[in-house]
Structures are given as structure tokens and as C-alpha cells.
């Protein structure tokens, strides 16, 4: 059963990723090809499952559900059809029915991280925020190697519900596991500043400065964060260090629009304090 669940989830993921690439036109072609395959092998429940998934992705809810019922008739209990029902209901924005299907799926196959993730999304749309966050946490816990998008989604849901410190920890753990993904780094930095965890933010900026091809924007941001933290003298020193660094650059670098703007920003900051 686990093997079939993994295969089904992989196919579902492929179809979902294909959506932005193929659009509705591409889905028409995929559906037509799959209809032909099913016609040649009408008793193949796996082929019909794939057709049902394509119908669901295309927004043809009735056809998706009809084919999923046929899958259950052909191969009872062999495929996670409730997962595909839920996906079709989510596309149709029937979040209550999506949740009902996912409630069954989570009970039958709690090992499926995607089931928890989809239920978290459905519950969020239904305004069931506490339950949604619990499922987001479970989805992340059950995903051995999460993609950056999942880490960002979970952190975003937590932050939106006021759990900003936990969101920052989720991002920090994601960065530690996945490496320095720019989108994760920037969001973690924003949350550390919002939660006034300035020391963590400054450490993250210093690392980013060392890794960046151009350190100057990070030097300016460090000065701004020091000012936000109320560390006025350190902020002034940081602005002065930026000016000295900019003045030491070769003429063609120093005269670029970006560097001239940073030089002005630093001078204005010093003049206003």
C-alpha cells in the first residue's frame, strides 16, 4: 500500500507542477492522451486514477469524482483516492468536502505528509486556524527533505497567525537543513527583526554579507538594523564604515548608480543623528 501511495503522490506532484507550464491548453492534451490510454486498458485502475487527477486539476470535478469512484470499484483500497478527491475539491474551492476527504485519508494513511499539508490548506480556508497550524506542523515533521516552498508556506501560516517566533525557528531550521536559500534567508531576517531578535538578525546579515558578490547593501542594512535596535553609536560606526568602503572602491564601481545612492543614504543617516 505504501508503494502505491508514494507513486500516487509523486504523480499528483508532477501534475500540479505541470499546471503553470502546460496551462489549460496543455492539460487538454494530457487529458486526451490519458482518455486514449484508458480506452485501450479500461480495467487498469492506475491509468484511470491518473485521468481522474488530470480532470481534477482541470477543474472538471464531476468527471474527476466519477473516475475516482471507478478506481475504487476496480481496485478497492489499492489507491489513495481520497487524496485525489481532496485535490479536486480544493481546485473547485469546495474546502469543506476537501477536508472531509482528507479526514478519511489522514486516518487511513497518516504517513502521507501531503495529506496533512492539503488538510492544513483546507482548514485555513475554512477559518480553522488552530487546526490548520497543527496540520502544517505535522506535514513539516513528516517530510524528511522539505522543499523551500513548504518551509516558506508553513512559516508564512505561522506568522500570519501571530506565531512569528515559531515561524522564525521553522525558517532557521529550514536554512540549516537546506542551505542558504535566498528566499528563506530574507524571510527569516525579516521575522527576526519583527520579533526584535536583533542579535540573530545581525549574525544572519554578517553571513549574507560574506557570501554576497556585493557586500555594500548588506552593510547598509546592518546599519539600519542597529539603529532600529536603538544601538545608535554602533549604527553611526556602521554608516561610517560603509562610506569608507565606498570611497575606497575603484572609480567605475564607486560611480555606479547603486553605489552613489548608498553613499547618499549613508551621508543622510549620519547627518540626521
Amino acid at each position: 500500500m505504501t508503494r502505491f501511495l508514494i507513486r500516487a503522490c509523486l504523480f499528483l506532484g508532477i501534475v500540479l507542477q505541470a499546471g503553470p507550464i502546460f496551462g489549460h491548453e496543455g492539460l487538454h492534451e494530457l487529458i486526451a492522451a490519458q482518455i486514449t490510454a484508458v480506452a485501450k486498458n479500461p480495467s487498469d485502475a492506475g491509468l484511470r486514477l491518473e485521468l481522474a487527477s488530470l480532470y481534477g486539476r482541470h477543474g472538471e470535478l464531476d468527471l474527476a469524482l466519477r473516475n475516482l469512484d471507478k478506481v475504487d470499484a476496480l481496485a478497492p483500497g489499492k489507491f489513495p483516492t481520497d487524496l485525489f478527491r481532496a485535490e479536486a475539491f480544493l481546485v473547485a474551492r469546495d474546502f469543506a468536502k476537501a477536508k472531509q476527504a482528507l479526514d478519511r485519508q489522514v486516518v487511513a494513511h497518516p504517513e502521507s505528509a501531503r495529506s496533512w499539508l492539503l488538510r492544513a490548506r483546507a482548514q485555513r480556508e475554512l477559518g480553522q486556524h488552530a487546526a490548520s497550524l497543527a496540520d502544517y506542523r505535522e506535514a513539516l515533521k513528516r517530510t524528511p527533505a522539505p522543499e523551500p516552498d513548504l518551509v516558506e508556506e508553513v512559516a508564512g501560516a505561522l506568522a500570519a497567525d501571530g506565531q512569528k517566533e515559531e515561524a522564525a525557528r521553522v525558517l532557521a531550521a529550514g536554512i540549516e537543513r537546506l542551505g542558504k536559500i535566498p528566499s528563506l534567508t530574507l524571510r527569516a531576517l525579516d521575522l527576526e527583526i519583527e520579533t526584535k531578535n536583533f542579535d540573530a538578525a545581525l549574525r544572519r546579515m554578517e553571513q549574507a554579507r560574506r557570501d554576497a558578490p556585493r557586500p555594500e547593501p548588506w552593510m547598509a542594512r546592518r546599519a539600519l538594523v542597529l539603529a532600529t535596535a536603538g544601538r545608535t553609536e554602533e549604527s553611526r560606526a556602521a554608516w561610517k564604515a560603509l562610506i569608507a568602503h565606498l570611497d575606497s572602491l575603484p572609480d567605475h564601481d564607486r560611480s555606479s548608480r547603486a553605489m552613489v545612492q548608498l553613499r547618499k543614504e549613508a551621508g543622510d543617516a549620519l547627518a540626521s543623528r
Side-chain angles (χ1 to χ4, degrees), residues 221-248:
R221 188 159 191 183
R222 179 174 181 273
L224 287 169
V225 170
L226 286 166
T228 302
R231 294 157 63 169
T232 306
E233 290 307 312
E234 289 179 74
S235 177
R236 288 182 62 81
W239 285 121
K240 288 177 181 177
L242 175 57
I243 289 173
H245 169 82
L246 290 169
D247 289 348
S248 71

